[in-house]
Amino acid sequence: MRGAPGEDYERVNEPDLQDGQTVIVERLKFEYKHGYPIDSDYFRAIVGHHSTVSGLRAHLVNEPDVYFPQIAPWQSRWIYAENDSIHQMWRKKI
């Protein structure tokens, strides 16, 4: 599956996030040998904030559950909350 992890999810950007909020991080995957997209991986994460030289930034801490049991392959405790060419954040519609 690619895109929203369910019909009741919407795309979200970093400025929309609040501490303690749950988001689903979609990690896009590609079949590089033949050049086409394949099913994405989905990870459940909890939003937190920390201070940087530029001010507060949101970060995501992996928090698997029954519905999204995969453990994220992040090399650290958390990653910056951002959408890029590989990651897309989703949250339940409010």
Side-chain angles (χ1 to χ4, degrees):
M1 170 172 72
R2 289 179 69 86
E7 291 180 15
D8 55 340
Y9 285 88
E10 63 185 356
R11 288 179 192 259
V12 65
N13 293 311
E14 181 183 358
D16 305 324
L17 301 175
Q18 300 171 3
D19 277 350
Q21 190 173 38
T22 300
V23 297
I24 305 303
V25 180
E26 175 185 13
R27 190 177 87 186
L28 302 171
K29 293 177 19 185
F30 299 89
E31 173 23 88
Y32 290 104
K33 185 174 182 182
H34 298 99
Y36 58 86
I38 58 177
D39 288 347
S40 297
D41 288 332
Y42 294 89
F43 307 98
R44 181 176 178 265
I46 304 298
V47 177
H49 284 81
H50 66 281
S51 295
T52 69
V53 174
S54 303
L56 282 180
R57 283 289 315 263
H59 64 259
L60 303 173
V61 178
N62 186 227
E63 191 71 34
D65 70 357
V66 174
Y67 303 107
F68 297 96
Q70 284 191 293
I71 295 173
W74 306 327
Q75 297 296 318
S76 62
R77 274 186 342 122
W78 53 265
I79 61 170
Y80 282 104
E82 60 187 1
N83 296 323
D84 56 27
S85 61
I86 299 174
H87 298 98
Q88 173 64 54
M89 296 181 297
W90 302 89
R91 72 172 173 201
K92 285 212 177 225
K93 291 179 183 175
I94 299 174

